[in-house]
């Protein structure tokens, strides 16, 4: 991935990548969001292979962002507000290690920010159950097949998008309206 000067990268796994991609595309300062696979052992995995749970990869999004407009900490805030970080290997009806909650850090600063934020959420008892989100070094990221990219915006009428993703996007638009891209 070719990162322009001043841009940073964040990689999050929080269940179905269609959901997380749609959410982060809403934020000002986010240049791009790529759906893909990371954290597993197989090179160049396919959606079918990852979906089987046998590759060890998580469905994830890789976010290129301008830290002068949106910080890594703000991305974490949105990440934790839009998925359940207390369920191990599950988000809603999506079950398996490929749907785990994990932050793949790209620097020591990202690692510290993520660990500190999780500690803050834990201390404030934001969630009634313990947070199971892992914090791991960034691994090779494989972009998912083209039909997965920008999936929500191209398939809003599909029932999964309507019932699962739209409420998450609406939540971001309400809770984080000061962080949204200007039309």
């Amino acid at each position: 991935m070719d990162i322009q000067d001043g841009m940073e990268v964040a990689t999050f796994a929080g269940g179905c990548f269609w959901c997380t991609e749609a959410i982060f595309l809403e934020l000002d300062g986010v240049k791009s969001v790529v759906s893909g696979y990371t954290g597993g052992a197989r090179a160049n995995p396919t959606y079918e292979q990852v979906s089987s749970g046998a590759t060890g990869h998580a469905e994830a999004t890789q976010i290129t962002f301008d830290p002068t407009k949106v910080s890594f900490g703000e991305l974490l805030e949105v990440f934790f507000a839009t998925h359940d970080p207390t369920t191990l290997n599950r988000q809603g009806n999506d079950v398996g290690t490929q749907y785990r909650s994990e932050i793949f850090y790209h620097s020591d600063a990202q690692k510290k920010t993520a660990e500190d934020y999780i500690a803050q959420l834990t201390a404030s008892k934001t969630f009634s159950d313990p947070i199971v989100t892992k914090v791991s070094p960034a691994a090779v990221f494989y972009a998912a097949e083209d039909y997965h990219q920008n999936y929500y915006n191209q398939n809003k009428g599909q029932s999964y998008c309507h019932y699962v993703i739209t409420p998450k996007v609406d939540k971001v638009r309400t809770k984080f309206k000061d962080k949204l891209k200007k039309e």
Side-chain angles (χ1 to χ4, degrees):
M1 174 184 273
D2 183 33
I3 306 301
Q4 294 179 348
D5 287 341
M7 294 290 172
E8 291 186 23
V9 174
T11 305
F12 299 134
C16 171
F17 51 32
W18 296 340
C19 295
T20 51
E21 176 190 61
I23 291 160
F24 288 108
L25 282 171
E26 296 283 313
L27 301 178
D28 188 32
V30 170
K31 181 181 180 222
S32 68
V33 182
V34 177
S35 290
Y37 320 110
T38 194
R42 183 182 193 118
N44 300 306
T46 65
Y47 180 69
E48 290 74 22
Q49 291 166 339
V50 172
S51 295
S52 76
T55 68
H57 289 88
E59 285 194 16
T61 50
Q62 193 158 78
I63 304 155
T64 302
F65 66 100
D66 180 347
T68 66
K69 293 185 177 181
V70 62
S71 70
F72 182 73
E74 289 170 314
L75 295 177
L76 285 174
E77 184 182 358
V78 172
F79 174 70
F80 279 101
T82 54
H83 84 292
D84 184 351
T86 68
T87 55
L88 186 63
N89 302 327
R90 177 186 196 127
Q91 288 298 308
N93 291 330
D94 294 327
V95 180
T97 57
Q98 66 272 29
Y99 301 114
R100 66 187 179 266
S101 178
E102 191 163 0
I103 298 161
F104 295 91
Y105 61 86
H106 293 266
S107 67
D108 290 340
Q110 284 187 357
K111 178 183 181 187
K112 180 170 178 15
T113 301
E115 290 173 342
D116 289 351
Y117 193 69
I118 291 170
Q120 175 188 337
L121 292 173
T122 300
S124 67
K125 297 184 182 351
T126 300
F127 299 98
S128 56
D129 293 318
I131 294 171
V132 297
T133 304
K134 288 178 60 178
V135 178
S136 305
V140 176
F141 183 87
Y142 300 98
E145 296 80 353
D146 288 345
Y147 70 93
H148 290 296
Q149 307 305 326
N150 201 24
Y151 189 88
Y152 173 72
N153 289 321
Q154 296 179 32
N155 297 280
K156 287 182 183 176
Q158 192 228 38
S159 61
Y160 183 88
C161 292
H162 179 74
Y163 291 108
V164 178
I165 304 174
T166 296
K168 290 179 181 240
V169 170
D170 289 345
K171 181 178 184 177
V172 167
R173 289 177 179 166
T174 301
K175 186 172 179 160
F176 300 102
K177 59 183 155 206
D178 61 320
K179 294 178 179 21
L180 300 178
K181 290 180 178 170
K182 311 300 182 246
E183 308 254 346

